[in-house]
Amino acid sequence: MKVAIDARELTGKPTGVGRYLRELLIEWTAAPDAARHDWRLYAPAPPDVPAALAGRVRIVPGRGGTAWEQWTLARALAAERPDVLFAPGYTAPLTAPCPILVAIHDVSFAARPDWFSAREGARRRFVTRWTARRARKVLTISEFSRGEIVRHLGVPPGHVRVIPLGVRVPDAPAPGPREPMVLYVGSIFARRHVDLLVEAFVRHVAPALPQARLELVGENRLPRGASVDHALAAAPAEVRAQVRFRSYVDEATLRELYGRASAFAFLSEYEGFGFTPLEAMAHGVPPVVLDTPVARESYGEAVARVGLGPDTPAALGRVLVDLLTTSAARATLLRQAPTVLSRYDWARTAADTLAALEDAAGAR
């Protein structure tokens, strides 16, 4: 079976969809069931792929946006005629000359159009809706997202399959003591309320714990001109020095941050899954999240939850101070982590996704 993969999310600095696809490729290169297939990865620039797949990359020059997807990639697929196309990031060429398996992780652009510019929201809704209808099957990562896809994209329930993500648990605990550090990892969107996290740290955590630090890692995806810096503007210079923003770190640096942090904060009110709190949990860092349906589905009792409202910064500040200063508070949450993490395994995710690809191609 010739399997084509849209690998553009593995170019540049992979996050989100790119990390999802990379984990699948790692598992597929090691799986005997996957070795019998002919894998072909298409990208506008050299992607970061496992060495075993380096010879399977097709560079199709372009900018990697919607025009590249709908025209350039479609022409490349027409020339090689694969048996199935795996589109890991929401959309695919509507004129692809083969069956499509698409992964749609959330539909925030349809559920909350006010979070997007009119043009960007309309583009996402149009292409994603038609891709979902064109695809043989839609994959998603939680029951919450499955319901949202059915509701907002008009896809029949039987057309959507839930395959949760995996989490890699380190073989050994991080060396050295934990620091009074709060960590956030993820692209910065309005729905993730990073401004409230900064406010909670500035107004409630730093005054109580002058040695505490806040590390924020993620590209700013807020509307043009928007940022979370205003939450720091009125803070004393010594408090501002306790907060660090980075748009991206490599995997080694990210592991090091997880190994030092004592608490992880992720105040997202809308996610298809929410991967980084689970990743933090796997590294022994107790997460604090907003109390949402997908958070209850994904994280169980292994997280602390706060509500979204006027008192969110104060409530979050209290929880963070407790986690930073009380080992028993961290231990209470982390005792629940093994049960939660056992539900998320990349080998199982990859095997289920391969089976879905074979079904979509008619090879099973």
Side-chain angles (χ1 to χ4, degrees):
M1 180 176 76
K2 294 180 181 179
V3 183
I5 299 177
D6 178 352
R8 64 184 137 156
E9 292 289 345
L10 291 173
T11 62
K13 298 175 178 178
T15 60
V17 173
R19 297 186 73 196
Y20 161 69
L21 178 56
R22 182 170 56 197
E23 295 289 357
L24 292 178
L25 294 177
I26 290 170
E27 295 295 335
W28 285 336
T29 56
D33 285 349
R36 66 177 182 264
H37 299 307
D38 179 7
W39 300 89
R40 304 181 183 192
L41 289 77
Y42 297 80
D48 178 15
V49 300
L53 293 173
R56 298 293 182 175
V57 173
R58 306 290 193 270
I59 302 299
V60 186
R63 299 180 64 180
T66 299
W68 178 88
E69 170 191 87
Q70 295 299 323
W71 301 103
T72 311
L73 177 58
R75 286 196 299 269
L77 294 171
E80 296 203 4
R81 293 282 172 176
D83 296 305
V84 65
L85 168 65
F86 179 46
Y90 299 85
T91 61
L94 301 181
T95 59
C98 60
I100 295 168
L101 180 72
V102 63
I104 298 176
H105 306 273
D106 70 79
V107 290
S108 54
F109 46 86
R112 287 294 303 270
D114 54 302
W115 287 336
F116 298 82
S117 68
R119 181 177 180 179
E120 176 67 5
R123 181 192 66 80
R124 287 174 178 257
R125 289 188 294 274
F126 176 82
V127 183
T128 306
R129 181 175 289 113
W130 280 104
T131 298
R133 294 176 180 179
R134 164 79 167 79
R136 285 280 178 89
K137 203 79 169 181
V138 173
L139 302 184
T140 195
I141 51 182
S142 65
E143 289 295 340
F144 171 78
S145 271
R146 182 175 181 269
E148 292 287 275
I149 290 167
V150 170
R151 181 178 306 112
H152 293 288
L153 300 186
V155 178
H159 195 59
V160 186
R161 179 177 177 184
V162 176
I163 301 179
L165 304 183
V167 179
R168 296 198 184 277
V169 178
D171 294 330
R178 294 285 176 175
E179 300 176 14
M181 178 201 299
V182 180
L183 178 63
Y184 166 90
V185 178
S187 296
I188 298 176
F189 297 109
R191 68 177 186 265
R192 291 179 176 168
H193 299 290
V194 178
D195 56 335
L196 297 184
L197 169 56
V198 173
E199 182 181 348
F201 185 85
V202 168
R203 294 179 58 188
H204 303 285
V205 178
L209 300 171
Q211 73 277 27
R213 293 173 52 209
L214 173 61
E215 290 274 354
L216 303 168
V217 178
E219 183 179 353
N220 184 5
R221 301 286 186 87
L222 294 170
R224 185 180 299 276
S227 73
V228 295
D229 291 339
H230 64 275
L232 281 173
E238 60 270 22
V239 172
R240 292 198 298 272
Q242 293 171 250
V243 181
R244 184 178 186 183
F245 289 88
R246 280 181 277 184
S247 62
Y248 182 83
V249 298
D250 59 26
E251 290 291 327
T253 303
L254 183 58
R255 287 193 298 271
E256 184 254 342
L257 287 171
Y258 280 132
R260 291 161 48 206
S262 292
F264 186 89
F266 194 76
L267 301 183
S268 181
E269 65 176 293
Y270 190 97
E271 293 291 323
F273 184 79
F275 175 70
T276 54
L278 285 170
E279 191 170 58
M281 195 187 302
H283 284 80
V285 189
V288 186
V289 301
L290 284 186
D291 189 8
T292 64
V294 75
R296 293 191 289 273
E297 176 187 346
S298 300
Y299 314 133
E301 298 305 313
V303 296
R305 299 189 185 93
V306 295
L308 182 60
D311 63 341
T312 297
L316 175 61
R318 289 191 294 270
V319 173
L320 290 175
V321 169
D322 192 30
L323 291 175
L324 294 178
T325 58
T326 311
S327 59
R330 297 193 295 273
T332 296
L333 296 178
L334 292 175
R335 275 196 295 270
Q336 306 297 323
T339 299
V340 173
L341 293 171
S342 68
R343 307 201 302 257
Y344 305 110
D345 179 78
W346 279 117
R348 185 165 59 240
T349 302
D352 289 348
T353 305
L354 178 61
L357 277 166
E358 291 172 343
D359 286 340
R364 290 167 60 88

